[in-house]
């Protein structure tokens, strides 16, 4: 892999970025120490494994054709030490320090002249836990592919990749062909383009119908951006989430969305903020990636869901979320504001280059908060023999928005990563606590199991 054009949606994410609105995903992976594991050796291992991932050796450069386009090129001057760094924390309370520092590091845009990613080994003096903060530009991958790329640092995935690399593959010569399409191929291309235009018009109409021109119902979720970032985390029992799902119906994701709605309601009331007259909109990303499809880039759409923060009854909130998501799924991922990602995939490169400022400012008209679930491997993972304890995913903030919520499940726990504008939501820890409290509220709805006689 030496040269590869950025897909339209990847190009959109690349051009949407500003210094105040970096467009990178992130994850804070927390590990338990293992006997004999030394930070400097872990740092070297991290660098070695990251350097072995081909995608992480690529950087973006403009190209002449298509006009306004860009491509991934292998960085001939790649130096992994520019990307993998160690930061030693002081004090005994590791996790609060690590989350605070992770928020500050998430503020900083990635250097665009280098492969757009960064990893930080965060550890403390002594034998306590340590963490790895991973930052990947959204142009590099969506959440699912970001997990696949980042997973290459773990012992189990790195060993499997090394085993596959030892197998020699036979390459069959490909006969040369003209760059000029034949008559049948040209006709096929023309029909494809007409189909693309029809699809873009249909999706565009859906996006326009879903947009809001009246933003008077704005809350702290849509406060003016300051460019600062704050991170808070929560951890939930995955078995309790599944028990609520089995009792109340729907999916585990429905339960988690209802938890977010209830936590936002509780948090707004506790901070003395009036509940909005119209439920805030959540953009819930949906993968459009097919099994065996391209391993890189973004293949996304999304569903649009009103989070019922005005509903006081937790069971009714869950029902409203479930019916809303059922309605979204019945319509399909090409309807509503979430389909803006599909629309971006239909636009030419030049439109992304010059239309990015307008598109960035339009996010507030479409949704108020991003809520995304990131799939993780189910097997136990480790780094240098140190077992992985938790992974807190982090999503980027859209311009004019103050909160993004990302969730992942690992080791029987649901880990929640809350990324917020630091000035708009200085009480983000309180929102994280509200997520815990809302799970207890839903747990109280479960039927009690009589003790054995």
């Amino acid at each position: 892999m030496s040269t590869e054009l950025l897909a339209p949606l990847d190009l959109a994410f690349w051009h949407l970025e500003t210094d105040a609105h970096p467009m990178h995903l992130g994850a804070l992976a927390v590990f338990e120490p293992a006997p004999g594991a030394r930070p400097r050796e872990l740092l070297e291992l991290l660098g070695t494994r990251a350097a072995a991932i081909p995608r992480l050796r690529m950087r973006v450069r403009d190209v002449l054709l298509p006009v306004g386009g860009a491509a991934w090129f292998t960085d001939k001057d790649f130096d992994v030490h520019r990307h993998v760094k160690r930061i030693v924390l002081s004090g005994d309370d590791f996790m609060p320090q690590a989350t605070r520092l992770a928020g500050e590091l998430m503020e900083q845009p990635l250097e665009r002249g280098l492969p757009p990613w960064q990893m930080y080994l965060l550890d403390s003096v002594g034998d306590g836990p340590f963490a790895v903060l991973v930052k990947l530009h959204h142009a590099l991958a969506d959440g699912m592919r970001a997990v696949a790329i980042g997973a290459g640092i773990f012992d189990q995935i790195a060993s499997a990749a090394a085993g596959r690399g030892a197998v020699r593959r036979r390459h069959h010569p490909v006969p040369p062909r003209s760059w000029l399409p034949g008559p049948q191929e040209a006709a096929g291309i023309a029909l494809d383009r007409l189909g693309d235009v029809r699809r873009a018009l249909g999706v565009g109409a859906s996006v326009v119908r879903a947009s809001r021109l009246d933003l008077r119902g704005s809350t702290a979720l849509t406060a003016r951006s300051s460019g600062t970032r704050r991170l808070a985390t929560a951890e939930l029992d995955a078995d309790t989430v599944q028990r609520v799902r089995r009792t109340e119906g729907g999916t585990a994701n429905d339960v988690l969305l209802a938890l977010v709605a209830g936590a936002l309601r509780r948090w707004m009331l506790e901070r003395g903020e009036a509940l909005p007259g119209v439920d805030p909109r959540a953009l819930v990303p949906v993968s459009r990636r097919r099994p065996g499809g391209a391993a890189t880039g973004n293949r996304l759409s999304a569903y649009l869901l009103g989070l019922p923060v005005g509903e006081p009854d937790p069971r009714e909130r869950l029902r409203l979320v479930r019916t809303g998501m059922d309605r979204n799924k019945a319509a399909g991922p090409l309807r509503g504001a979430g389909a803006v990602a599909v629309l971006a995939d239909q636009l030419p490169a030049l439109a992304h280059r010059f239309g990015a400022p307008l598109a960035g400012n339009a996010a507030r008209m479409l949704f108020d908060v991003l809520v995304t679930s990131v799939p993780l491997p189910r097997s136990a993972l480790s780094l240098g023999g140190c077992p992985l304890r938790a992974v807190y995913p982090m999503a980027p903030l859209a311009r004019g928005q103050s909160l993004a919520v990302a969730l992942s499940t690992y080791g029987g726990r649901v880990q929640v990563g809350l990324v917020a504008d630091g000035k708009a939501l200085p009480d983000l820890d309180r929102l994280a606590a509200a997520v815990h409290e809302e799970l207890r509220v839903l747990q109280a709805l479960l039927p009690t199991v009589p003790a054995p006689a």
Side-chain angles (χ1 to χ4, degrees), residues 62-201:
D62 292 341
V63 294
L64 294 176
L65 293 174
V67 177
W72 293 104
F73 288 82
T74 300
D75 186 357
K76 296 180 180 178
D77 299 319
F78 177 77
D79 181 359
V80 75
H81 297 99
R82 293 178 176 177
H83 301 268
V84 179
K85 301 177 182 178
R86 179 190 177 200
I87 300 177
V88 181
L89 306 179
S90 59
D92 298 327
D93 211 352
F94 176 76
M95 276 305 296
Q97 290 186 74
T99 53
R100 177 189 57 78
L101 180 58
E104 294 174 359
L105 293 171
M106 289 295 287
E107 290 180 12
Q108 304 170 10
L110 294 161
E111 189 172 340
R112 293 171 77 87
L114 299 174
W117 64 276
Q118 201 80 40
M119 292 186 190
Y120 296 89
L121 175 66
L122 310 179
D123 69 290
S124 56
V125 178
D127 298 326
F130 67 93
V132 174
L133 173 65
V134 180
K135 292 168 57 176
L136 295 172
H137 200 286
H138 211 332
L140 192 65
D142 53 29
M144 184 176 294
R145 287 305 164 190
V147 169
I149 292 171
I153 69 171
F154 295 115
D155 298 335
Q156 294 77 8
I157 285 83
S159 298
R164 288 195 300 270
V167 179
R168 298 187 63 182
R169 297 180 180 179
R170 297 179 61 186
H171 296 278
H172 300 283
V174 178
R177 56 175 292 179
S178 170
W179 61 272
L180 289 172
Q184 290 185 340
E185 187 177 354
I189 291 173
L191 289 173
D192 286 344
R193 293 295 177 267
L194 287 173
D196 289 344
V197 170
R198 286 195 296 268
R199 191 178 305 111
L201 289 173

Side-chain angles (χ1 to χ4, degrees), residues 253 283-287 300-303 370-373:
N253 200 48
L283 194 70
V284 184
V286 179
S287 176
L300 290 172
S301 185
Y303 293 134
L370 174 72
V371 184
T372 182
S373 293

